[in-house]
Amino acid sequence: MTTPTPETLARVRALRAELAHHNHRYHVLDAPEIGDDAYDALFRELESLEQLHPVLITPDSPTRRVGAAPLEGFAKVVHRAPMLSIDTVADVAEFDRRVREGLGEAEVEYAAEPKIDGVAVSLIYERGLLVCVATRGDGREGEEVTAQARTIPSLPLRLLGEGHPELLEARGEVFMTLAAFDAYNARALETGEKTFANPRNAAAGSLRQLDPRITAQRPLKLYCHGVGEVRAEGWPTRHDQVMALFRDWGLPTCPDAEVVVGVEGCRDYYERLRARRDQLSYEIDGMVFKVNVLAWRERLGFVARAPRWASACKFPSREAFTTVEAIDVQVGRTGALTPVARLQPVGVGGVTVTNATLHNFEELYRKDVRAGDTVRVRRAGDVIPEVVEVVLEKRPADALPVVTPASCPVCGGAVAKPEGEVVIRCIEGFFCPAQRKEAVRHFASRRAMNIEGLGEKLVEALFAGGLIGDVADLYRLHGMSERVAGLERMGEKSAENLLAAIEESRGRDLERFLFALGIREVGEATAASLARHFGTIEALMAASEAELQGAPEVGPVAAGRVWAFFRAPGSQALLERLLAEPATGWHRAAARAVAIGHPLAGATVVLTGTLTAWTRQEAKARLEALGAKVSGSLSKRTRYLIVGEAPGSKLTQARELGVEILDETAMIALVQGAG
């Protein structure tokens, strides 16, 4: 191996810069300056120089896009800032009203963009170099797909231009254009390979290939639409300015995005984009409106899992006609009896639909759906299949109305229709096998205890094999590894992964545990409020309905449900076993109750830099458990700035504002001093 000369080094750098320029022109701007032969000649020259001098190979070289060796699995990545979902509104006027009232402004400017049906990703750049790409996952934690994403031609491995932030977390969507999707499926049919149902599935399946070389063969694209964490001086104040900066750095953005003013601007954009929907090169299911001024976003803040400053508007659903083969009744985790139409398979919006919800028996009778009927089906929000109406002219003469169940179709127990509700429920609670199964599925779901791999089929298998009877039994499976491995389609390695995921779930905190219990009316926001208000599960279980209503955002209905849940014999028996489990996170959360008079109670805290002892999410949770409000921006009202490694401009700003500055050691001492 020869030592590269200065001339060789300069040529390699020039080739990389030239190839990056032409790559951007071709894949992002769709405006190539040279032909394929000329591009290939430059690429081959660089490749030959790197083969001759391997010491010159760098992660951002264009030759690295071909894909590396297969991975053994996907590493987990905790997002620096949560990747939140966006609420959907039926009428953008209601969203605009809430925003204007929240800001006290007469008119608001919005960044409007298509809601591309792809895979949400987070891109981390350090000083302009791509270092990590992760999927959204559950919003808090995703999977690292850096090796796979590096093969996407439109994704810059190093940002173009100058003035890059010390750290930039760009948010975007990986997708497959409609033309590329059709061409891929056509080739797959010719070669006998698996085809994809729609472009979103194609993008998700391609990005999650353990072998990046397979991803490199898939025609993926990327559009960036936002940011997470940024460490930079002089950052723009408006979203459209950020997008312009992205384009200067080579990060592709959606060409159909615009800035509009007020509700009329939003409606006009909606109608224009809907008219062009079938002419777009990519699949969309609606659009997103976001407050354009970044400081105003900070003022509006968030609620539960969604920002108050953004909203999605969906298009009318794709529809199709098919035949109802049967009507079954499903029993949910809260005992709700839901009629479901079993359909002759039909394609709706790129997905084969075989079942459609009828919501409840009142809805079933209002639509008068019967077995044998021809029905119009749509995917509500382009996701959930539902029966829209019956084509009465095609009804068979022998089609009979559905009879309301007199008992639970699963356990045979009594059913009732609570006053003020339209839903019929099995009242047997945890004694009903269907409710226990659904309770386990909810308990294991990502937003609850996040037990990876414990899906519907495995839950069915565990129940059928007699290994579990409720959620508490999950924590006794570690002594039955051989029996778990013996289940159909499991094996020793799969059993080890499942048991490891169950053991890991012991670390979930009190608020996630409360949400996982599946108490009616207790979503994530209510669970968090109850956990922080009462501090311990014992205090919560002992609280009266009036005391429960003392927690922020807990009304009389939710308080009544919680009070009744903790007093039901089945719930008490289950909780007794769950709370007997040692070394669990829901017990540790109890030790972090809000301390009256603690320096963090009511204090606004800002984090900056990289923390080493805790993740940013762990630090945020611990601070909030002590009554602190963790904000993303500094102001005169900020009590503490907590500084990790490589802090950004916030450190200078805090000194100018006179905000008290704590290092990570001081933060830990302050938090642990509450115990």
Side-chain angles (χ1 to χ4, degrees):
M1 182 176 67
T2 59
T3 302
T5 65
E7 291 77 13
T8 301
L9 180 58
R11 180 56 181 162
V12 166
R13 287 173 175 167
L15 284 168
R16 285 178 185 155
E18 190 172 1
L19 286 167
H21 168 77
H22 292 306
N23 203 44
H24 179 65
R25 297 284 304 180
Y26 184 90
H27 292 288
V28 178
L29 303 181
D30 198 24
E33 294 177 341
I34 61 174
D36 290 345
D37 290 344
Y39 181 93
D40 291 342
L42 293 170
F43 189 95
R44 284 194 298 270
E45 182 184 355
L46 175 61
E47 198 172 39
S48 64
L49 288 173
E50 288 183 346
Q51 288 174 354
L52 187 62
H53 305 288
V55 70
L56 296 179
I57 298 175
T58 59
D60 59 323
S61 174
T63 62
R64 300 300 94 191
R65 291 192 185 274
V66 295
L71 305 176
E72 292 184 359
F74 293 105
K76 298 297 184 183
V77 174
V78 176
H79 297 301
R80 294 173 178 271
M83 294 185 71
L84 302 174
S85 57
I86 295 177
D87 285 341
T88 300
V89 292
D91 186 354
V92 72
E94 175 61 18
F95 167 65
D96 176 66
R97 180 191 63 78
R98 293 200 304 264
V99 168
R100 287 187 290 104
E101 289 180 357
L103 294 171
E105 299 286 341
E107 196 169 58
V108 176
E109 200 175 62
Y110 296 101
E113 61 195 31
K115 190 174 183 295
I116 297 175
D117 201 12
V119 182
V121 293
S122 165
L123 318 170
I124 305 295
Y125 286 88
E126 292 180 357
R127 298 176 179 85
L129 180 67
L130 180 69
V131 296
C132 181
V133 181
T135 61
R136 180 182 183 275
D138 64 2
R140 299 181 182 182
E141 183 180 79
E143 294 176 327
E144 183 179 357
V145 290
T146 309
Q148 291 76 7
R150 289 168 61 85
T151 69
I152 301 173
S154 56
L155 173 63
L157 304 182
R158 180 178 290 278
L159 299 178
L160 303 178
E162 298 177 347
H164 308 134
E166 179 183 350
L167 182 140
L168 169 66
E169 182 185 9
R171 301 278 173 82
E173 201 84 1
V174 172
F175 63 100
M176 194 178 285
T177 65
L178 293 168
F181 168 74
D182 291 337
Y184 176 83
N185 268 355
R187 287 194 301 271
L189 284 172
E190 291 175 2
T191 58
E193 297 177 29
K194 175 187 174 183
T195 59
F196 288 104
N198 53 58
R200 193 208 176 279
N201 287 358
S206 299
L207 194 60
R208 296 193 74 258
Q209 290 289 330
L210 288 174
D211 189 345
R213 293 170 296 191
I214 297 177
T215 308
Q217 300 169 12
R218 306 286 174 82
L220 298 178
K221 291 193 70 172
L222 165 78
Y223 282 155
C224 292
H225 52 61
V227 294
E229 184 176 354
V230 179
R231 296 182 207 154
E233 299 287 346
W235 191 247
T237 60
R238 294 155 48 100
H239 176 81
D240 59 338
Q241 294 171 341
V242 174
M243 295 299 100
L245 199 55
F246 275 16
R247 290 189 289 273
D248 290 342
W249 289 336
L251 287 167
T253 63
C254 181
D256 299 296
E258 296 178 13
V259 174
V260 300
V261 178
V263 67
E264 291 307 317
C266 293
R267 285 173 172 166
D268 175 65
Y269 180 83
Y270 179 93
E271 293 302 329
R272 285 188 287 113
L273 197 62
R274 185 169 69 167
R276 295 175 50 223
R277 182 181 187 183
D278 293 332
Q279 284 74 52
L280 295 174
S281 64
Y282 46 84
E283 184 67 44
I284 64 173
D285 57 5
M287 61 203 60
V288 176
F289 298 107
K290 299 183 284 193
V291 172
N292 197 36
V293 178
L294 302 183
W296 286 2
R297 294 183 183 183
E298 201 71 37
R299 284 168 55 187
L300 289 167
F302 304 84
V303 57
R305 299 177 62 249
R308 290 190 175 96
W309 45 263
S311 184
C313 291
K314 296 292 188 72
F315 287 129
S317 304
R318 309 287 194 182
E319 299 180 339
F321 290 89
T322 189
T323 303
V324 177
E325 296 181 338
I327 295 177
D328 295 338
V329 179
Q330 292 182 340
V331 181
R333 65 179 174 84
T334 61
L337 272 58
T338 303
V340 176
R342 306 301 182 191
L343 306 173
Q344 182 178 339
V346 62
V348 184
V351 172
T352 300
V353 172
T354 56
N355 304 312
T357 179
L358 293 164
H359 302 294
N360 54 65
F361 283 91
E362 286 193 8
E363 182 77 356
L364 169 66
Y365 298 140
R366 184 183 69 80
K367 292 179 177 178
D368 191 18
V369 183
R370 307 180 186 185
D373 277 343
T374 296
V375 292
R376 181 159 61 96
V377 179
R378 72 180 175 194
R379 292 173 62 213
D382 283 350
V383 176
I384 304 171
E386 67 174 355
V387 173
V388 179
E389 63 179 354
V390 175
V391 182
L392 293 174
E393 295 82 0
K394 295 186 177 182
R395 169 169 285 171
D398 59 350
L400 299 175
V402 176
V403 177
T404 303
S407 60
C408 174
V410 175
C411 70
V415 297
K417 183 180 176 183
E419 186 177 352
E421 295 188 20
V422 297
V423 176
I424 298 172
R425 298 183 187 275
C426 169
I427 61 174
E428 299 301 324
F430 286 117
F431 296 102
C432 176
Q435 292 183 61
R436 293 202 301 273
K437 289 179 185 178
E438 290 301 316
V440 171
R441 288 178 59 191
H442 173 74
F443 189 84
S445 63
R446 279 190 172 186
R447 289 160 53 195
M449 302 303 277
N450 193 20
I451 302 176
E452 189 172 352
L454 189 54
E456 179 179 3
K457 291 183 179 179
L458 184 50
V459 170
E460 288 284 349
L462 289 169
F463 270 89
L467 274 69
I468 64 171
D470 55 31
V471 297
D473 287 338
L474 293 173
Y475 297 102
R476 289 158 175 76
L477 287 176
H478 63 274
M480 308 179 188
S481 56
E482 290 186 7
R483 292 182 63 189
V484 175
L487 294 174
E488 186 178 357
R489 299 173 65 181
M490 279 297 286
E492 186 176 337
K493 183 62 177 177
S494 297
E496 287 177 4
N497 292 338
L498 173 65
L499 296 178
I502 292 172
E503 287 303 299
E504 183 187 2
S505 74
R506 291 177 181 274
R508 309 293 181 244
D509 58 20
L510 177 57
E511 62 186 69
R512 291 189 74 162
F513 176 72
L514 290 177
F515 175 66
L517 290 176
I519 307 170
R520 289 180 63 194
E521 308 295 338
V522 178
E524 289 171 282
T526 302
S529 178
L530 289 168
R532 293 169 189 168
H533 184 77
F534 288 96
T536 69
I537 185 69
E538 290 80 9
L540 178 59
M541 293 171 66
S544 66
E545 286 191 64
E547 289 170 332
L548 289 166
Q549 290 185 56
E553 301 182 21
V554 176
V557 175
R561 301 286 190 210
V562 173
W563 185 87
F565 176 86
F566 285 128
R567 278 147 191 81
S571 301
Q572 291 179 341
L574 179 70
L575 282 165
E576 183 178 352
R577 294 164 60 212
L578 282 170
L579 296 179
E581 290 295 325
T584 57
W586 49 91
H587 282 111
R588 289 198 300 274
R592 300 202 302 264
V594 174
I596 304 300
H598 190 274
L600 287 169
T604 299
V605 179
V606 175
L607 300 168
T608 186
T610 302
L611 303 179
T612 56
W614 297 331
T615 66
R616 187 168 288 248
Q617 279 67 40
E618 286 172 335
K620 183 174 184 291
R622 290 171 184 252
L623 292 165
E624 289 179 342
L626 289 166
K629 175 188 176 184
V630 180
S631 175
S633 62
L634 285 159
S635 70
K636 291 183 178 179
R637 293 189 297 274
T638 304
R639 179 72 175 276
Y640 300 111
L641 175 70
I642 296 170
V643 180
E645 294 179 359
S649 58
K650 288 176 182 174
L651 180 58
T652 303
Q653 188 182 355
R655 288 169 176 158
E656 293 173 351
L657 293 172
V659 173
E660 186 172 350
I661 299 168
L662 303 178
D663 62 15
E664 190 172 0
T665 302
M667 174 192 70
I668 293 171
L670 190 61
V671 169
Q672 294 181 343

